[in-house]
């Protein structure tokens, strides 16, 4: 099965030929903010980007962390809606940024890319629905595993214990609606059940 976002890794030469430009963002720099209108397609060359929101009391809620050869921001190019999240670089990050009009022209000129885009958007919707369903479950193991399945769906590879969960225990708690203490206990159970593996404090799924 193709993965959610990693399948939308468009050849860089095609992106440049349709007006894509390389942009470098510093660590902690906003690429776009919640409430902005979508203007670009973004594809990561190197570095990492997190998608998040901040609650009224300043609490951070992380939706995803993306890396090399992954894209973001593209679903909003098809509808006149504002971004529901922020996109923030976690380190110095190189990105190919393509204006919306150029992106649409590229899709019209390359039907195979357009088909891949439809597949990726469908996969995103599928995994989003799975995560929402899992977050409604009472079993904390199922909640954590549902979030990990969702995060792993954005990356290539189906090997066991090879995907690093780039979230702190607090961030996992925020994402699942569980207490940090419950997350810590649940992680220990998941290690014992060989669902995950730990390298120090790093979770491998």
């Amino acid at each position: 099965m193709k993965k959610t976002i990693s399948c939308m890794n468009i050849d860089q030469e095609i992106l440049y030929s349709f007006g894509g430009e390389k942009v470098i963002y510093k660590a902690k720099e906003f690429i776009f903010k919640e409430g902005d209108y979508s203007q670009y397609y973004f594809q990561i060359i190197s570095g990492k980007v997190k998608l998040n929101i901040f609650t009224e009391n300043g609490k951070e809620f992380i939706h995803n962390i993306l890396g090399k050869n992954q894209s973001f921001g593209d679903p909003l190019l098809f509808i006149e809606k504002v971004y529901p999240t922020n996109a923030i670089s976690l380190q110095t990050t190189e990105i190919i940024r393509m204006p919306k009009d150029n992106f649409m022209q590229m899709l019209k000129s390359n039907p195979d890319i357009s088909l891949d885009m439809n597949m990726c958007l469908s996969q995103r919707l599928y995994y989003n629905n799975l995560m929402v369903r899992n977050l409604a479950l009472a079993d904390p193991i199922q909640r954590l595993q549902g979030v990990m399945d969702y995060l792993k769906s954005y990356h290539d590879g189906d090997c066991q214990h090879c995907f690093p969960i780039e979230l702190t225990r607090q961030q996992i708690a925020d994402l699942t609606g569980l207490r940090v203490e419950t997350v810590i206990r649940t992680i220990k159970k998941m290690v014992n059940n060989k669902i995950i593996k730990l390298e120090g404090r790093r979770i491998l799924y």
Side-chain angles (χ1 to χ4, degrees):
M1 180 186 291
K2 282 192 174 184
K3 295 296 185 176
T4 307
I5 282 188
S6 52
C7 61
M8 210 58 245
N9 176 27
I10 301 171
D11 184 273
Q12 292 185 16
E13 292 306 315
I14 294 178
L15 294 177
Y16 289 131
S17 70
F18 279 89
E21 60 176 349
K22 183 188 294 185
V23 182
I24 299 176
Y25 294 89
K26 298 176 183 178
K28 299 183 180 179
E29 185 175 354
F30 280 84
I31 299 164
F32 58 72
K33 293 184 178 181
E34 180 183 0
D36 289 347
Y37 276 96
S38 177
Q39 299 182 53
Y40 298 98
Y41 168 83
F42 300 95
Q43 186 165 299
I44 302 170
I45 301 172
S46 64
K48 289 186 178 180
V49 173
K50 68 177 175 181
L51 306 180
N52 75 349
I53 60 171
F54 294 100
T55 62
E56 291 180 357
N57 59 7
K59 191 174 183 180
E60 182 182 29
F61 184 91
I62 294 177
H63 286 253
N64 214 328
I65 294 177
L66 308 174
K68 182 179 178 180
N69 294 334
Q70 293 186 285
S71 61
F72 61 97
D74 34 314
L76 275 296
L77 294 174
F78 297 93
I79 55 177
E80 294 295 326
K81 299 291 184 182
V82 298
Y83 289 118
T85 67
N86 304 299
I88 305 172
S89 55
L90 290 173
Q91 58 197 61
T92 300
T93 301
E94 289 184 305
I95 290 176
I96 298 177
R97 186 178 71 178
M98 177 186 284
K100 178 178 179 179
D101 290 345
N102 301 54
F103 179 75
M104 293 304 179
Q105 185 58 47
M106 180 190 67
L107 294 185
K108 291 176 182 177
S109 302
N110 294 271
D112 54 331
I113 296 178
S114 185
L115 286 174
D116 284 344
M117 176 68 69
N118 289 336
M119 180 182 292
C120 288
L121 294 177
S122 297
Q123 288 283 2
R124 287 183 198 182
L125 182 60
Y126 172 74
Y127 281 106
N128 280 341
N129 287 338
L130 279 185
M131 192 176 80
V132 170
R133 184 195 68 181
N134 288 327
L135 289 178
L137 299 174
D139 182 2
I141 289 181
Q142 288 182 297
R143 283 201 194 188
L144 263 65
Q145 194 165 1
V147 168
M148 292 177 188
D149 282 337
Y150 171 74
L151 295 174
K152 192 172 183 178
S153 76
Y154 283 73
H155 295 258
D156 286 321
D158 292 316
C159 57
Q160 188 177 19
H161 302 155
C162 67
F163 174 66
I165 303 298
E166 306 277 8
L167 297 172
T168 66
R169 275 48 169 180
Q170 182 63 60
Q171 288 166 344
I172 293 173
D174 293 341
L175 195 55
T176 56
L178 298 169
R179 294 170 59 88
V180 176
E181 295 80 4
T182 303
V183 169
I184 293 171
R185 288 196 302 270
T186 304
I187 287 173
K188 290 179 180 178
K189 290 179 183 178
M190 293 175 76
V191 170
N192 292 336
N193 293 341
K194 298 183 178 180
I195 298 171
I196 61 174
K197 183 179 178 181
L198 292 183
E199 284 186 355
R201 289 185 54 80
R202 193 184 195 201
I203 299 171
L204 297 176
Y205 181 56

